[in-house]
Amino acid sequence: MVKQINSRGKVQAMSGRLIDPYGREISYLRLSVTERCNLSCIYCSANPLECAKKMGKDLLTVESCLAIGQAAVELGMTKIRLTGGEPLMRADILDIISGLSAIPGLKDLSLTTNGIFLDDMASELASAGLHRVNISLDSLEEANFQRITNGGKLQSVLKGIEKSIEAGLTPVKINVVLLKGINDHEIERFIAMTADRDLCVRFIEYMPMKKEEGWRKLFLPLEKVIEVAEKFAPLVAAESDHNHGGGPARYFRLEGAKGKIGLITALSCHFCDRCNRLRVTSDGKVKPCLFSIDEVDLRPFLDSKEKLKEQFIAALELRTDPRTVSDNPFGRMEEVKGARSMRQIGG
Ligand code: SAM
């Protein structure tokens, strides 16, 4: 159901706080530093044959990433997450991290990765100034992992998780995109990971992008996770993510467990009214909202921090009124037209 549009305010950027026209504070930037990826996950690219190695060269230089980061922090964003594609594919990722980590006012610098390179890189990432990592892991079965990622090695990711914990890139969060008929039989094993370790396993609802055919067959609402978890032990609400700038996940804990379970119900129960983030694509476009086709280009303005800030504000002017977002996930997804694949946007 589409709700009535009500009043619309102005973007406010004052005293280190950035407020969008609907009163939401924007504190978080997701910066996609590359669209290249060493994996080709079945849900991430509209066309699974869109091979990572065919992708073009990275369009945002280290200096561009730093200029964008500085403008964002000066406007009031205090948290930056590097994403992609696979951010660890970039040979200069440590330069990006050390440059960003030196920006005064940046409180949280994190990175989302498929984890394949973490075994080798976790400690140098931490030394460069990275605070923590989110690691995508959609299966705990070798063959299923290979199928979902088009050839990835599960053992590398598992080693990478251990190395990240050792390097202090914590709290380590594991992201699991739930796919009906593909990994939903593994919910129990993922939940079991939280029983005696301080790990946070977050289930994410599959979001189709770019008119993916047959997406309804893969979509599974996350109530299924609660159903499975409650067979283990009673679920208790756990503290949310406010230390790290808030976020869309709702957290639970199996009674007595060390770790947490997070649910990101992007479709079945959207959280647009709490959205605190902007995204910059790997080719330097600000996306006002994940599913919006509007984009504001930063690349012509990389030499002027003030102009970059103006572009961020222009993007915020294009934010969608959360009250107009349909509560019906299927209806909403059918309306998404011509969007980019997740690997360009960064998830
Ligand atoms: N290569 C990194 C990785 O694998 O985590 C970062 C890029 S990936 C696009 C960022 C996040 O987006 C991952 O957690 C991934 O699971 C999520 N993602 C990608 N496509 C998605 C989709 N169609 N629905 C839901 N989440 C998706």
Side-chain angles (χ1 to χ4, degrees):
M1 191 186 69
V2 175
K3 296 178 191 140
Q4 279 297 313
I5 305 179
N6 293 323
S7 56
R8 185 176 197 283
K10 278 198 158 42
V11 174
Q12 295 170 49
M14 281 184 308
S15 325
R17 291 181 75 203
L18 185 60
I19 315 284
D20 84 359
Y22 304 100
R24 294 168 291 191
E25 182 159 2
I26 307 302
S27 54
Y28 174 21
L29 179 71
R30 294 181 66 98
L31 176 58
S32 175
V33 293
T34 182
E35 67 175 298
R36 292 181 299 129
C37 190
N38 49 326
L39 301 181
S40 196
C41 298
I42 52 176
Y43 55 80
C44 189
S45 174
N47 172 8
L49 300 176
E50 182 189 58
C51 172
K53 295 182 185 83
K54 286 190 207 140
M55 296 281 126
K57 68 178 173 75
D58 300 328
L59 293 175
L60 294 178
T61 60
V62 174
E63 293 70 30
S64 311
C65 293
L66 301 189
I68 291 169
Q70 275 161 5
V73 174
E74 283 184 21
L75 276 171
M77 293 182 238
T78 53
K79 165 177 171 176
I80 296 180
R81 170 174 300 283
L82 300 175
T83 177
E86 174 49 46
L88 301 185
M89 291 281 279
R90 279 193 69 144
D92 50 10
I93 191 70
L94 295 175
D95 298 331
I96 296 176
I97 290 170
S98 61
L100 288 175
S101 71
I103 297 175
L106 182 67
K107 295 189 182 138
D108 187 36
L109 179 60
S110 59
L111 179 141
T112 297
T113 171
N114 58 40
I116 298 279
F117 300 123
L118 281 176
D119 185 19
D120 289 335
M121 293 184 69
S123 76
E124 34 184 9
L125 290 167
S127 306
L130 188 70
H131 296 155
R132 58 197 184 86
V133 284
N134 285 9
I135 302 173
S136 296
L137 176 62
D138 301 311
S139 174
L140 293 166
E141 296 169 0
E142 188 74 59
N144 205 23
F145 184 83
Q146 281 195 21
R147 169 184 175 209
I148 295 171
T149 58
N150 275 297
K153 297 268 180 294
L154 173 62
Q155 288 311 317
S156 313
V157 184
L158 297 178
K159 279 190 208 154
I161 292 174
E162 298 308 322
K163 283 286 176 65
S164 303
I165 296 171
E166 275 167 42
L169 293 171
T170 53
V172 168
K173 294 183 185 169
I174 311 288
N175 286 343
V176 185
V177 178
L178 196 63
L179 302 162
K180 187 156 83 184
I182 295 192
N183 62 1
D184 48 338
H185 63 285
E186 298 192 49
I187 295 174
E188 221 174 294
R189 280 188 74 186
F190 277 112
I191 288 175
M193 289 172 83
T194 67
D196 50 13
R197 297 197 71 184
D198 185 14
L199 276 176
C200 179
V201 175
R202 307 190 318 163
F203 293 90
I204 304 175
E205 272 173 4
Y206 163 62
M207 293 172 274
M209 302 296 288
K210 241 181 165 182
K211 294 186 190 164
E212 286 160 27
E213 295 297 327
W215 70 268
R216 286 167 184 250
K217 286 192 210 131
L218 285 181
F219 175 70
L220 187 62
L222 295 185
E223 272 111 66
K224 176 78 186 165
V225 175
I226 300 204
E227 216 177 274
V228 175
E230 282 177 336
K231 287 188 195 148
F232 262 97
L235 272 185
V236 288
E239 62 282 14
S240 74
D241 209 14
H242 295 306
N243 288 342
H244 296 112
R250 283 179 295 133
Y251 289 102
F252 302 91
R253 201 183 284 284
L254 292 174
E255 203 171 58
K258 287 199 175 140
K260 284 196 288 189
I261 301 164
L263 301 181
I264 303 183
T265 53
L267 286 198
S268 67
C269 181
H270 73 76
F271 28 77
C272 300
D273 57 335
R274 288 182 281 131
C275 180
N276 62 351
R277 62 201 57 198
L278 281 179
R279 295 172 165 85
V280 173
T281 62
S282 54
D283 55 354
K285 310 271 172 43
V286 189
K287 283 197 81 74
C289 300
L290 175 59
F291 293 123
S292 150
I293 53 170
D294 291 322
E295 295 182 344
V296 173
D297 201 357
L298 295 180
R299 283 178 66 221
F301 305 101
L302 288 166
D303 57 354
S304 158
K305 224 187 315 172
E306 289 315 307
K307 292 219 173 90
L308 286 176
K309 290 190 206 170
E310 283 169 19
Q311 293 298 92
F312 272 123
I313 289 173
L316 279 181
E317 295 286 358
L318 298 170
R319 295 268 279 179
T320 306
D321 184 339
R323 294 161 296 196
T324 66
V325 177
S326 167
D327 288 334
N328 172 353
F330 294 114
R332 191 158 77 249
M333 291 317 347
E334 295 303 345
E335 286 160 20
V336 173
K337 295 206 169 57
R340 295 166 178 256
S341 61
M342 284 287 195
R343 74 164 53 182
Q344 292 172 310
I345 304 173

